[in-house]
Amino acid sequence: MATSKHWDIFCKIVDNFGDIGVCWRLAKQLQSEHQLTIRLFIDDLNVAKHLIPTLDTSLAQQTIQNITIVSWSTNTTFIHNAQVVIESFACELPPQYLAVMHPDTIWINLEYLSAEAWVDDFHAKNSKRGQLTRHFFFPGFTSKTGGLLREHDIVNTKQEHLLKSSTLPAHDHLNVSLFCYPHAPIASLLTAIANSNQQVSCYVPNSNILSSVAKFFERESLHPGDQLTYKNLTLHVIPFLSQDDYDKLLCSCDLNFVRGEDSWIRAIWAGKPFIWQPYLQTEQTHIKKLHAFLNLYYSDCPPTSKESIFALHDAWLSQEISSPTWQAYLIHLDKIKQYARQQSYTHSQQTDLATKLVIFSEKMIKNIEENKV
């Protein structure tokens, strides 16, 4: 039987970069901070390469940063399983892998992050699948959940390092990073920024929103290195960034527009104001998730600042950002900055996701061994 020091993580890249972003960070932390041997199965190496630049998409298996990365396809052969298996975001383990699993395998389905109240009750519940037991692990913002993905030193040591290593030019502009889904009201945001009384430098990583940005500037296309100015807006198109470089950008900006899960959490650890765009879901579920987060995260925020935060988030989701909404947020930006720093520190005092996963798996293994005696 494989030891509990060997873990397998399965990642199916459904859309964008959130799945692989979370799985790659988690794999690196489990290896570096908990000395675990990690195999990371990825079904789309071409997308993963955006976040893991040294990845060779032609190889079936390779080792990067002490992580064994395996190209996962319907032809993948599984000889043995790890003692602990993480099925990320209900990606469904392959039947060939399930066939080699044994009843003592610690099978964890790592769910998406949510601040909704029901997460506290559903975290760590399990269900049976034949002789196997599947545990449901919910990341979250309270002590009753699986915690947040966070390296141990990120708020104190790493944030100072990232700030010192900033590559943004020195000027008196407000620095804003923009990373969002294509359906966001990008044109109205850029219009509001351009018409505000604050000069803004907006940094846009190369992604699928560039066509919308190009349309705003009446250009056919945009490419990394392009710089465009309209009224009080100066927009910089930058390359798609590695995770480390993206973290530096978040720490260097005064305000970050983020999306999904990975960039959302990194914005929290950057300790800077941010506007979060949740992944679009049916039946307005994404709006419920947004409001659950805002109500929890900003519960102690001064009422006037909170009002401007909620208004800008709702406008970002409702397809229209007006100049007054943008300006009202800027008026409270200094207070929001203070609150963001405080919240970043507060949440960093909680046990992180990787550590909670290790504690949970060790507890499960201990229970299995005791039941055998």
Side-chain angles (χ1 to χ4, degrees):
M1 186 169 103
T3 72
S4 59
K5 291 294 183 182
H6 290 76
W7 288 34
D8 284 346
I9 302 175
F10 283 82
C11 175
K12 181 176 289 185
I13 301 175
V14 179
D15 191 14
N16 302 296
F17 303 98
D19 306 274
I20 182 58
V22 170
C23 289
W24 181 234
R25 289 191 195 274
L26 177 61
K28 289 188 294 183
Q29 188 182 354
L30 289 170
Q31 190 283 320
S32 64
E33 295 185 3
H34 298 277
Q35 293 74 53
L36 300 177
T37 300
I38 305 294
R39 285 193 305 180
L40 175 58
F41 294 85
I42 305 174
D43 75 332
D44 191 337
L45 295 186
N46 291 313
V47 173
K49 186 173 174 63
H50 285 85
L51 295 182
I52 313 172
T54 56
L55 192 64
D56 186 339
T57 58
S58 68
L59 297 178
Q61 182 171 312
Q62 58 199 291
T63 301
I64 298 176
Q65 296 187 39
N66 297 317
I67 309 294
T68 299
I69 297 177
V70 182
S71 178
W72 168 25
S73 70
T74 54
N75 298 322
T76 304
T77 300
F78 302 98
I79 300 173
H80 63 85
N81 68 284
Q83 175 63 39
V84 181
V85 182
I86 295 183
E87 172 191 22
S88 67
F89 313 123
C91 68
E92 292 296 331
L93 297 180
Q96 305 95 312
Y97 192 89
L98 288 169
V100 299
M101 287 170 62
H102 47 77
D104 291 350
T105 303
I106 310 303
W107 176 9
I108 299 173
N109 180 33
L110 180 62
E111 299 281 357
Y112 288 103
L113 172 64
S114 176
E116 294 169 285
W118 60 263
V119 169
D120 286 10
D121 296 324
F122 281 83
H123 173 62
K125 293 290 192 294
N126 64 68
S127 67
K128 287 289 185 179
R129 185 161 171 175
Q131 291 185 311
L132 303 174
T133 303
R134 188 186 194 191
H135 304 274
F136 298 92
F137 210 89
F138 285 86
F141 294 86
T142 73
S143 59
K144 295 180 180 179
T145 69
L148 300 173
L149 187 58
R150 170 184 57 80
E151 301 92 317
H152 288 170
D153 65 347
I154 192 167
V155 172
N156 298 320
T157 308
K158 194 170 184 181
Q159 192 178 92
E160 292 175 6
H161 168 70
L162 293 176
L163 286 171
K164 291 176 182 177
S165 61
S166 170
T167 56
L168 298 187
H171 50 58
D172 58 357
H173 291 194
L174 189 75
N175 287 324
V176 175
S177 75
L178 177 58
F179 185 52
C180 63
Y181 296 118
H183 62 270
I186 296 168
S188 70
L189 171 65
L190 297 181
T191 299
I193 291 176
N195 291 329
S196 71
N197 58 14
Q198 169 75 55
Q199 286 193 313
V200 172
S201 285
C202 182
Y203 296 88
V204 184
N206 185 13
S207 68
N208 55 4
I209 70 168
L210 281 193
S211 59
S212 297
V213 177
K215 185 178 180 181
F216 174 81
F217 284 99
E218 298 181 345
R219 297 275 293 268
E220 287 189 8
S221 61
L222 291 175
H223 306 279
D226 288 346
Q227 178 177 317
L228 306 100
T229 300
Y230 174 61
K231 296 184 179 179
N232 274 343
L233 166 66
T234 300
L235 188 137
H236 306 262
V237 182
I238 60 178
F240 190 89
L241 303 174
S242 67
Q243 288 184 324
D244 287 343
D245 286 338
Y246 183 67
D247 289 349
K248 293 176 185 178
L249 177 66
L250 292 176
C251 285
S252 302
C253 287
D254 303 292
L255 170 63
N256 297 299
F257 282 78
V258 293
R259 71 183 202 189
E261 182 161 332
D262 186 49
S263 60
W264 172 28
I265 294 305
R266 303 314 284 190
I268 291 175
W269 302 138
K272 298 297 186 69
F274 60 91
I275 302 298
W276 175 48
Q277 181 190 22
Y279 186 76
L280 188 64
Q281 294 178 286
T282 58
E283 299 179 2
Q284 305 297 301
T285 302
H286 59 293
I287 295 178
K288 295 176 184 177
K289 286 190 173 183
L290 172 66
H291 287 168
F293 169 68
L294 294 178
N295 285 321
L296 184 150
Y297 197 77
Y298 294 102
S299 59
D300 296 323
C301 190
T304 52
S305 298
K306 185 190 296 187
E307 184 178 341
S308 69
I309 293 167
F310 278 56
L312 187 52
H313 273 90
D314 285 338
W316 192 225
L317 255 63
S318 66
Q319 304 302 305
E320 185 65 39
I321 290 182
S322 67
S323 292
T325 300
W326 173 252
Q327 198 61 47
Y329 185 88
L330 294 187
I331 290 172
H332 296 280
L333 189 59
D334 285 341
K335 290 183 179 178
I336 299 172
K337 283 182 180 179
Q338 295 175 13
Y339 189 83
R341 283 196 297 269
Q342 176 264 316
Q343 283 293 86
S344 182
Y345 175 78
T346 298
H347 284 283
S348 73
Q349 301 308 295
Q350 298 176 354
T351 306
D352 65 276
L353 173 64
T355 300
K356 283 200 168 187
L357 281 166
V358 171
I359 293 172
F360 177 81
S361 65
E362 289 178 346
K363 180 182 177 182
M364 292 296 102
I365 292 169
K366 183 179 179 181
N367 290 342
I368 290 169
E369 292 174 347
E370 289 177 347
N371 288 334
K372 288 181 178 180
V373 176

